[in-house]
Amino acid sequence: MEQYKQEFIEFMVESDVLKFGDFTLKSGRKSPFFMNAGAYVTGSQLMRLGEYYAKAIHDNYGDDFDVLFGPAYKGIPISVVTAVAYAKLYGKEIRYCSDRKEEKDHGADKGSFLGSSLKDGDRVVMIEDVTTSGKSMEETVPKVKGAADVEIIGLMVSLNRMEVGLGGEKSALDEIKETYGFDARAIVTMDEVTEHLYNKPCNGKIVIDDTIKSAIDAYYEQYGAK
């Protein structure tokens, strides 16, 4: 596993973004782990987050794209800090764009989007925190495609939960590939998280012990993607 992936896993735990225990997800599933990207709140955390996203995007998609699109709300700061990190790490100017939940009907920046406008011919990388069911793409993709004649070349999320999406068989990321025709990747997968943290100290404690590991295994017996 690449060094930046190992660091990112520990960073999620240290930032209290990735937790282990007993959680009820929005889908109603009982999960032994939970990720909340809203817990990245400090300047140094956001700076590091952008760098991890930039490294993963560069590894997977190179730099032949123009725009990072982060859906509201959590995708907005992620797209901003990643655009900053891309310029710092790779010397490449990438524009950021996000949608508004409510269209602004006044001022010079009125409309449905924040940041850069989308232009015909733009190559776009979508960027989100995590995708459990893929439902957010149902709203976001039509907005992006409807704004200009753009090509969406891929999606990057923090964590691939590796569980079945809306269709009940494939993972949410695989369903996105099948439904929309563009690639969907994650900085790390839950398999990589478990491999790296199982019975190893992180932030001064063991976060995946035998009990949590058994709960994760049982969760994937029920909800794991084929």
Side-chain angles (χ1 to χ4, degrees):
M1 191 190 317
E2 292 89 336
Q3 183 67 30
Y4 78 85
K5 290 187 174 187
Q6 298 177 42
E7 292 174 2
F8 181 64
I9 291 168
E10 295 175 12
F11 171 61
M12 286 193 289
V13 174
E14 291 163 3
S15 302
D16 215 24
V17 166
L18 182 60
K19 300 180 181 182
F20 298 89
D22 186 15
F23 306 94
T24 300
L25 305 179
K26 188 162 59 175
S27 62
R29 296 173 184 172
K30 301 282 188 181
S31 173
F33 59 92
F34 181 71
M35 185 192 152
N36 173 26
Y40 296 119
V41 292
T42 70
S44 61
Q45 286 174 335
L46 290 166
M47 179 177 66
R48 289 180 65 188
L49 179 65
E51 289 175 356
Y52 290 128
Y53 264 98
K55 288 175 181 177
I57 290 170
H58 191 266
D59 273 3
N60 287 277
Y61 301 126
D63 59 10
D64 185 19
F65 66 98
D66 309 289
V67 180
L68 284 167
F69 188 93
Y73 289 101
K74 288 181 182 176
I76 296 174
I78 297 173
S79 62
V80 172
V81 297
T82 304
V84 172
Y86 226 91
K88 174 185 173 184
L89 294 176
Y90 305 111
K92 170 84 174 182
E93 293 288 8
I94 302 293
R95 290 147 40 217
Y96 98 91
C97 181
S98 297
D99 60 331
R100 301 178 191 268
K101 290 291 188 181
E102 301 84 21
E103 184 164 345
K104 186 178 180 184
D105 60 3
H106 62 280
D109 61 342
K110 67 181 180 180
S112 302
F113 297 98
L114 293 167
S116 171
S117 59
L118 294 170
K119 305 172 184 176
D120 289 349
D122 275 344
R123 289 167 59 81
V124 178
V125 171
M126 311 285 276
I127 191 166
E128 278 204 298
D129 57 342
V130 65
T131 297
T132 302
S133 67
K135 189 169 179 59
S136 61
M137 289 294 107
E138 291 182 3
E139 303 173 3
T140 305
V141 171
K143 281 185 181 180
V144 172
K145 292 279 195 179
D149 182 15
V150 304
E151 178 185 0
I152 300 174
I153 65 171
L155 165 70
M156 182 62 67
V157 301
S158 289
L159 176 67
N160 181 355
R161 290 184 59 100
M162 301 175 63
E163 62 193 83
V164 291
L166 295 174
E169 289 188 5
K170 298 180 180 179
S171 74
L173 294 186
D174 285 340
E175 285 184 353
I176 287 169
K177 292 179 191 179
E178 190 173 89
T179 302
Y180 301 107
F182 56 79
D183 201 18
R185 306 282 182 96
I187 301 176
V188 292
T189 68
M190 200 57 208
D191 267 353
E192 290 171 328
V193 169
T194 305
E195 174 193 337
H196 185 64
L197 293 179
Y198 180 43
N199 277 339
K200 297 175 186 174
C202 179
N203 205 26
K205 63 181 180 179
I206 303 291
V207 292
I208 300 184
D209 56 16
D210 290 341
T211 301
I212 295 293
K213 176 66 162 56
S214 295
I216 292 172
D217 290 344
Y219 185 77
Y220 282 108
E221 279 292 319
Q222 185 172 6
Y223 297 117
K226 297 176 182 177

